[in-house]
């Protein structure tokens, strides 16, 4: 379920208008006949499964910052393993049939007592979000509206950037760093989480994320986390995607009266 | 119970011996008015000596970069802790605990890890004989089963952490445990002593095994230094 407006397709062909929407993943289901061919149709088993989404750019498009080789591993092996692992688990788990991915992560999180499917589900979500948080030759400054909000909530863009980099470098173990719109506090914040935890789980709205698991940078940067994070901030962040996500999040979080310019 | 405490008293004499040994594996004790900081312990073998099971590239990075970083940050945290303690700054003292646990744990765990490994031509991979061998058969049925269990738990560990073969000094039984991030084994139980630890952080295997952690786990047994584990086992079993 993706919208593709040909009229508004930007000049960059590797960005699709569909990428500006966070599509709900409706699981494709198929009916599988069980039993022998010569007996009448028994009750068929419905399966839900999720597909491996492709990044909105070719795997070499993020060179020289993230190599094709590393993306082939990260997307082709790690992300794919999470998807296939999840589908394996869902095969045997009828009560979880029919959820969209957004719903599935919340259900399997089970309010902090996660079900076995959670690890795979959340990492599928996180990686889908991550590929779309980056773009080739990412602009290093957000557009006006988002920039205003960042300046309001962090003081300055530099301050935000510092906080983000600091969170990434002080994360212990595997995890993610997020720019998130907080639902209750009604403001942007930088949040770091362990393993696969995602601010979506407690009702906040992720705007950008950065994978700080070692597999996300090790092949290209070895142990130099600082270089990886700074490269991400300077060259890879998709502020276009962030703006679109912000627009959607503002439908749920009232950030106050808009600044209506007086003519 | 009284019998046990008599035996325990005997071990006080061996505490200073333990201190000396502890210092040899990179641990230290705080002396009054002098903050003991830590340095990177040397490996007992070349970086390339564990090939083809663990590559030289990994060993070098793991030792010179990762372990060194833990030590550097551990020392920094300890200095900050000493300052905060002197000033009576409780909130800083408490705030530093997670950095101390992480970096100090990283130092402890890796110091043990280097001792857990040995080149194949120096006994690495040779199955345990003697007391530890018998204890493994008793507590796990067989060495194969223990290896299978540790591999399974190591592969299933989410994110970063360690898988351990430990001795529970209270129950005198061997146990397999996992710890997240750089938590030392003792966080799983105060009476647990690590005999063998396998680092399953991605940095420990990624350059060679990529995302196939099970292959790394299968391989590393070929360079496992059971002699060291046996030494620790015998020593700990005799003390309380």
């Amino acid at each position: 379920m993706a919208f593709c407006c040909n009229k508004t397709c930007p000049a960059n062909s590797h960005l699709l208008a569909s990428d500006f929407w966070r599509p709900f993943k409706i699981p494709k289901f198929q009916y599988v006949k069980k039993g022998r061919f010569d007996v009448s149709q028994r009750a068929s088993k419905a399966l839900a499964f999720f597909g491996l989404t492709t990044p909105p750019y070719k795997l070499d498009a993020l060179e020289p910052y993230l190599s094709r080789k590393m993306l082939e591993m990260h997307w082709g092996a790690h992300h794919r393993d999470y998807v296939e692992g999840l589908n394996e688990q869902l095969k045997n788990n009828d009560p979880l049939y029919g959820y969209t991915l957004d719903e599935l992560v919340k259900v399997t999180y089970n309010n902090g007592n996660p079900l076995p499917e959670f690890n795979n589900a959340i990492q599928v979500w996180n990686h889908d979000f991550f590929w779309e948080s980056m773009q080739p030759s990412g602009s290093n400054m957000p557009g006006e509206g988002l920039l205003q909000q960042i300046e309001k909530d962090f003081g300055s863009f530099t301050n935000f950037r510092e906080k983000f980099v600091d969170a990434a470098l002080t994360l212990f173990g595997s995890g993610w760093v997020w720019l998130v719109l907080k639902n209750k506090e009604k403001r942007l914040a930088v949040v770091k989480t362990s393993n696969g935890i995602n601010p979506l789980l407690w009702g906040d709205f992720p705007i950008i994320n950065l994978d700080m698991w070692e597999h996300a940078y090790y092949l290209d940067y070895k142990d130099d986390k600082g270089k990886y994070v700074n490269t991400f901030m300077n060259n890879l962040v998709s502020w276009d995607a962030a703006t679109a996500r912000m627009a959607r999040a503002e439908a749920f979080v009232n950030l106050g009266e808009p600044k209506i310019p007086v003519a | 119970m009284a019998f046990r405490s008599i035996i325990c008293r005997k071990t006080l004499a061996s505490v200073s011996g333990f201190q000396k040994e502890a210092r040899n594996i990179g641990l230290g004790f705080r002396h009054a008015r002098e903050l003991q900081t830590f340095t990177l312990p040397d490996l007992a073998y070349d970086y390339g000596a564990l090939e083809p099971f663990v590559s030289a590239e990994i060993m070098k990075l793991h030792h010179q970069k990762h372990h060194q970083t833990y030590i550097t940050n551990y020392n920094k945290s300890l200095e900050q802790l000493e300052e905060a303690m002197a000033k009576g700054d409780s909130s800083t003292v408490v705030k530093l605990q997670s950095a101390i646990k992480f970096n100090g744990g990283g130092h402890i765990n890796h110091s043990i890890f280097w001792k857990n490994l040995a080149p194949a031509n120096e006994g690495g991979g040779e199955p345990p004989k003697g007391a530890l061998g018998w204890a493994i058969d008793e507590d796990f049925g067989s060495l194969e089963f223990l290896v299978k269990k540790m591999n399974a738990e190591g592969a299933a560990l989410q994110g970063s952490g360690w898988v351990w073969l430990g001795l529970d000094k209270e129950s005198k039984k061997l146990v397999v445990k996992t710890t997240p991030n750089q938590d030392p084994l003792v966080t799983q139980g105060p009476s647990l002593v690590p005999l063998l630890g396998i680092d399953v952080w991605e940095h420990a295997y990624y350059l060679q095994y990529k995302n196939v952690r099970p292959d790394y786990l299968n391989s590393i047994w070929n360079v496992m230094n059971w002699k060291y584990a046996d030494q620790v086992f015998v020593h700990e079993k005799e003390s309380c």
Side-chain angles (χ1 to χ4, degrees):
Chain A
M1 187 187 109
F3 297 98
C4 192
C5 307
N6 284 321
K7 284 183 240 163
T8 57
C9 261
N12 289 337
S13 59
H14 50 248
L15 288 175
L16 304 172
S18 59
D19 299 317
F20 294 157
W21 297 86
R22 179 97 201 102
F24 286 112
K25 252 185 217 54
I26 296 185
K28 307 183 197 117
F29 51 90
Q30 59 192 48
Y31 289 99
V32 175
K33 274 199 202 131
K34 288 185 121 182
R36 289 157 34 212
F37 290 116
D38 57 349
V39 300
S40 55
Q41 265 191 31
R42 303 253 180 96
S44 31
K45 186 171 180 179
L47 295 176
F49 66 86
F50 294 93
L52 176 64
T53 57
T54 45
Y57 37 77
K58 290 216 186 78
L59 290 183
D60 60 0
L62 299 183
E63 303 241 5
Y65 311 114
L66 299 179
S67 69
R68 178 182 56 82
K69 190 161 170 254
M70 197 168 75
L71 285 196
E72 277 174 0
M73 273 308 303
H74 197 176
W75 173 75
H78 289 271
H79 190 179
R80 188 189 300 276
D81 277 354
Y82 288 127
V83 172
E84 290 179 354
L86 178 62
N87 289 334
E88 253 326 291
Q89 288 172 315
L90 290 180
K91 250 197 235 175
N92 306 316
N93 205 329
D94 288 344
L96 290 181
Y97 166 80
Y99 286 109
T100 64
L101 190 60
D102 278 25
E103 294 168 344
L104 187 65
V105 300
K106 287 189 190 154
V107 164
T108 52
Y109 181 59
N110 199 19
N111 287 309
N113 227 329
L115 307 178
E117 294 78 4
F118 174 70
N119 285 326
N120 284 326
I122 197 72
Q123 284 290 77
V124 173
W125 199 105
N126 291 340
H127 283 87
D128 286 347
F129 195 81
F130 182 48
W131 305 130
E132 294 171 10
S133 297
M134 297 191 289
Q135 67 179 70
S137 41
S139 61
N140 57 1
M141 284 296 268
E144 211 189 286
L146 181 53
L147 182 59
Q148 260 178 25
Q149 190 65 38
I150 289 178
E151 286 173 348
K152 178 162 174 250
D153 293 331
F154 293 98
S156 68
F157 182 77
T158 317
N159 210 356
F160 150 71
R161 195 188 179 289
E162 226 178 83
K163 272 211 158 71
F164 194 91
V165 172
D166 187 66
L169 297 179
T170 56
L171 179 61
F172 292 152
S174 305
W176 297 76
V177 187
W178 306 83
L179 170 62
V180 70
L181 180 61
K182 283 194 167 279
N183 197 345
K184 289 210 195 84
E185 292 92 324
K186 303 195 197 305
R187 48 156 295 160
L188 289 171
V190 167
V191 160
K192 60 185 176 187
T193 59
S194 285
N195 290 355
I197 299 294
N198 181 329
L200 185 76
L201 296 170
W202 50 80
D204 290 338
F205 294 88
I207 305 296
I208 288 282
N209 73 350
L210 172 60
D211 193 351
M212 290 306 295
W213 284 57
E214 285 177 324
H215 65 240
Y217 59 87
Y218 212 77
L219 288 181
D220 287 348
Y221 293 91
K222 307 282 189 313
D223 68 305
D224 198 345
K225 281 200 286 194
K227 197 156 167 233
Y228 166 65
V229 181
N230 280 299
T231 302
F232 174 80
M233 286 306 291
N234 292 339
N235 303 103
L236 289 173
V237 179
S238 175
W239 289 113
D240 290 340
T243 306
R245 290 159 176 173
M246 190 69 183
R248 178 180 170 271
E250 285 187 55
F252 297 89
V253 182
N254 185 358
L255 290 178
E257 293 302 315
K259 276 209 197 88
I260 300 171
V262 179
Chain B
M1 277 321 260
F3 183 67
R4 211 180 184 212
S5 58
I6 291 171
I7 299 179
C8 281
R9 228 163 276 155
K10 222 185 182 182
T11 66
L12 283 177
S14 66
V15 163
S16 59
F18 175 67
Q19 266 185 344
K20 209 163 154 209
E21 193 191 288
R23 217 164 278 149
N24 288 341
I25 60 172
L27 301 176
F29 289 88
R30 166 108 192 260
H31 299 290
R33 296 179 179 279
E34 184 197 299
L35 178 63
Q36 172 117 21
T37 53
F38 302 92
T39 53
L40 189 63
D42 286 329
L43 302 187
Y45 39 83
D46 289 332
Y47 289 129
L50 303 182
E51 298 257 13
F53 308 108
V54 184
S55 73
E57 194 189 6
I58 289 183
M59 288 306 291
K60 191 163 175 211
L61 266 170
H62 204 172
H63 183 240
Q64 286 184 358
K65 292 285 166 73
H66 290 274
H67 191 176
Q68 180 61 65
T69 304
Y70 288 126
I71 291 175
T72 308
N73 291 337
Y74 181 40
N75 288 339
K76 223 187 325 183
S77 308
L78 287 178
E79 278 163 17
Q80 291 171 342
L81 177 68
E82 197 190 31
E83 223 182 281
M85 278 166 66
K87 284 196 250 165
D89 182 355
S90 298
S91 69
T92 304
V93 168
V94 173
K95 200 168 64 162
L96 285 167
Q97 296 309 309
S98 65
I100 289 175
K101 181 176 173 194
F102 180 68
N103 293 299
H107 174 48
I108 293 171
N109 294 341
H110 285 88
S111 302
I112 297 172
F113 190 48
W114 308 135
K115 297 222 144 213
N116 283 156
L117 304 173
N121 59 8
E122 287 176 31
E126 249 178 58
K129 306 175 181 83
L132 181 56
W134 300 329
I136 288 175
D137 286 342
E138 212 179 285
D139 292 335
F140 293 101
S142 67
L143 179 63
E144 288 79 46
F145 185 79
L146 169 64
V147 168
K148 226 164 117 190
K149 186 172 165 80
M150 283 183 77
N151 287 350
E153 302 222 3
L157 194 149
Q158 278 296 309
S160 310
W162 291 74
V163 59
W164 301 96
L165 171 65
L167 168 66
D168 186 336
K169 285 177 80 164
E170 252 182 60
S171 68
K172 306 272 190 213
K173 289 238 170 258
L174 294 174
V175 292
V176 169
K177 293 269 182 201
T178 57
T179 55
N181 296 339
Q182 291 296 352
D183 291 4
L185 181 60
V186 72
T187 56
Q188 290 284 317
S191 57
L192 295 177
V193 174
L195 302 177
L196 286 181
I198 304 180
D199 190 352
V200 291
W201 279 62
E202 283 170 329
H203 66 237
Y205 59 89
Y206 206 76
L207 292 178
Q208 186 177 0
Y209 294 95
K210 306 293 187 302
N211 71 323
V212 194
R213 198 193 278 176
D215 281 358
Y216 159 69
L217 288 168
N218 280 322
S219 278
I220 201 163
W221 294 103
N222 292 298
V223 286
M224 201 59 79
N225 186 357
W226 284 106
K227 265 190 264 177
Y228 170 77
D230 191 45
Q231 272 170 16
V232 177
F233 175 71
V234 164
H235 179 270
E236 292 298 333
K237 207 145 186 241
E238 284 170 3
S239 60
C240 279

